[in-house]
């Protein structure tokens, strides 16, 4: 069985929902994971924000807009009055429930409940539409099987047991529809998966049922070899290793979250990135296989801060790096890149929240220099150290661009370079020209 996930833009209108229904109704049993309709989660976040501020009128105004949007979609989506009435009754029950949470004491618990309503509404509408067209589809409620543990990590044993029990109850169904993103936590409360959202759900579901394949459908034809918003004539990368895809996702390729494919990788299930607008396009296939001797793609991560600690005392000083890294750990600030020399260490971070405290603590150990508005350029492919000339080709592409840091050898799949934000466009274009054209 395959698992197919469709994002918010793929179910963002009545016509898009009809297009998705055509794609999934091919006679093969499958599990379909849906996000909330595009714009819905933003509206739910806005409602929550008003409720935190005790602005009930503001919350009601957004709720009314959301209700009007869904009533309009229902009128266009269903062809019979019977199903229009069913859908209106269904959606208004969720709208009324959101409205019932308007109260003076609004907490994180109520916010999580509100944020879950978008996926519940989109899956319910899709299921009703499929039933109207004669498809025997059933809802697999994510809140009945998707759970996180006390560390807010998915509980794979629980998920596998509960999901497979649900599937056994509906063996004759043509399609199974389920919600992405939402779950229950270890205490039974409504929560969400946060990182990767619906992509993560699809990967966890695929791992739980040992799926033949996981398909992630978006509005882009796979993962491109560079940023198509900046570089002309980019092309989709047809095959990626899981580690290559994770590097690209972490360093800026927005189509996929870096952690969401881990369950698929561990269970050796291929993941395909496909385009709802061009369903015949081959997209990108991600698997554990490696294409030797190829540089695959370039990605960029913005809003990077470089921190350099220079200290004469570092020379042969045992424990220096430990003391430096403990400061970042204290302020829960992850490090992206690290380079060292005899008299100093440079690191990069992307979270400025505790920058001043970090800087002050680092001054105990040396002179601290901070560079803001930097970008990490990540080049991904088969970059084993014995592939002679690959790193030289990357560096020579940037011969006219000042490079602040270079990280090579920490991974077999990645060379990272730090440049100024103002040089990002030139750097990406130069790398495309030298590596792919």
């Amino acid at each position: 069985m395959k698992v197919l996930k469709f994002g918010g833009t793929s179910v963002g209108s009545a016509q898009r929902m009809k297009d998705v229904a055509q794609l999934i109704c091919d006679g093969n049993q499958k599990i379909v994971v849906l996000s909330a309709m595009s714009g819905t989660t933003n509206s739910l976040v806005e409602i929550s924000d008003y409720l935190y501020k005790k602005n009930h009128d503001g919350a009601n105004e957004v709720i009314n807009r959301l209700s009007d949007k869904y009533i309009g979609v229902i009128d266009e989506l269903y062809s019979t009055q019977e199903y229009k009435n069913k859908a209106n009754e269904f959606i208004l029950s969720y709208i009324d429930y959101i409205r019932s949470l308007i109260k003076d004491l609004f907490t994180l618990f109520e916010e999580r409940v509100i944020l879950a309503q978008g996926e519940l509404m989109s899956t319910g509408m899709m299921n009703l539409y499929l039933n109207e067209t004669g498809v025997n589809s059933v809802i697999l409620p994510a809140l009945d099987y998707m759970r996180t543990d006390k560390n807010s990590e998915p509980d794979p044993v629980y998920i596998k047991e509960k999901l497979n029990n649900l599937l056994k109850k509906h063996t004759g169904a043509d399609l199974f529809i389920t919600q992405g993103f939402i779950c229950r936590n270890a205490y039974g409360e409504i929560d969400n998966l946060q990182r990767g959202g619906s992509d993560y759900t699809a990967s966890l579901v695929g791992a739980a049922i040992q799926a033949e394949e996981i398909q992630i459908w978006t509005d882009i034809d796979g993962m491109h070899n560079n940023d198509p918003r900046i570089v002309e004539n980019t092309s989709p990368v047809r095959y990626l290793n899981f580690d290559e895809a994770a590097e690209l996702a972490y360093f800026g390729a927005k189509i996929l979250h870096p952690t969401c494919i881990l369950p698929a990788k561990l269970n050796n299930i291929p993941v395909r990135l496909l385009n709802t607008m061009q369903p015949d396009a081959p997209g990108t296939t991600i698997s554990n296989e490696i294409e030797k001797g190829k540089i695959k793609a370039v990605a960029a991560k913005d809003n990077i801060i470089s921190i350099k600690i220079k200290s004469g005392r570092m020379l042969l000083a045992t424990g220096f790096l430990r003391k430096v890294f403990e400061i970042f750990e204290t302020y829960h600030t992850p490090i992206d890149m690290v380079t060292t020399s005899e008299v100093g260490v440079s690191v990069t971070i992307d979270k400025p929240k505790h920058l001043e405290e970090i800087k002050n603590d680092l001054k105990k150990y040396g002179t601290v220099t901070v560079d803001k508005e930097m970008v990490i350029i990540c080049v991904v492919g088969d970059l084993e150290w014995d592939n002679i000339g690959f790193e030289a080709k990357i560096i020579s592409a940037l011969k006219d661009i000042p490079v602040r840091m270079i990280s090579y050898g920490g991974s077999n799949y990645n060379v990272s370079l730090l440049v100024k934000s103002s040089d990002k466009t030139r750097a990406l274009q130069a790398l495309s020209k030298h590596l792919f054209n």
Side-chain angles (χ1 to χ4, degrees), residues 250 328-329 331-337 348-351:
Y250 183 77
F328 291 93
E329 183 183 357
Y331 294 104
H332 303 286
T333 302
I335 292 170
D336 288 319
M337 286 176 68
T348 67
I349 61 172
D350 62 1
K351 292 183 178 176

Side-chain angles (χ1 to χ4, degrees), residues 44-112:
L44 297 174
V45 169
E46 189 178 0
I47 291 165
S48 299
D49 191 41
Y50 277 124
L51 292 179
Y52 274 123
K53 295 178 171 64
K54 295 183 171 55
N55 184 346
H56 297 171
D57 290 340
N60 268 314
E61 195 173 312
V62 181
I63 292 169
N64 291 338
R65 287 204 307 267
L66 194 63
S67 177
D68 291 343
K69 171 186 175 178
Y70 275 86
I71 289 169
V73 171
I74 287 167
D75 191 53
E76 190 181 340
L77 181 60
Y78 304 97
S79 56
T80 64
Q81 194 58 49
E82 177 192 358
Y83 274 87
K84 286 182 181 182
N85 290 342
K86 283 183 179 180
N88 272 312
E89 183 180 347
F90 169 82
I91 289 300
L92 289 176
S93 70
Y94 282 100
I95 297 295
D96 288 344
Y97 181 55
I98 294 171
R99 219 183 289 275
S100 74
L101 295 171
I102 296 178
K103 50 188 178 181
D104 286 336
L105 183 60
F106 188 79
T107 68
L108 182 60
F109 171 78
E110 283 82 17
E111 181 186 13
R112 287 170 176 166

Side-chain angles (χ1 to χ4, degrees), residues 333-346:
T333 302
I335 292 170
D336 288 319
M337 286 176 68
V338 181
T339 59
T340 63
S341 74
E342 291 292 346
V343 293
V345 56
S346 290

Side-chain angles (χ1 to χ4, degrees), residues 220-228 234-237 248 284 296-298:
I220 301 172
D221 180 20
M223 197 175 279
H224 279 234
N225 61 5
N226 210 323
D227 190 335
T234 63
S235 59
V237 182
L248 286 170
T284 299
K296 298 290 187 68
V298 178

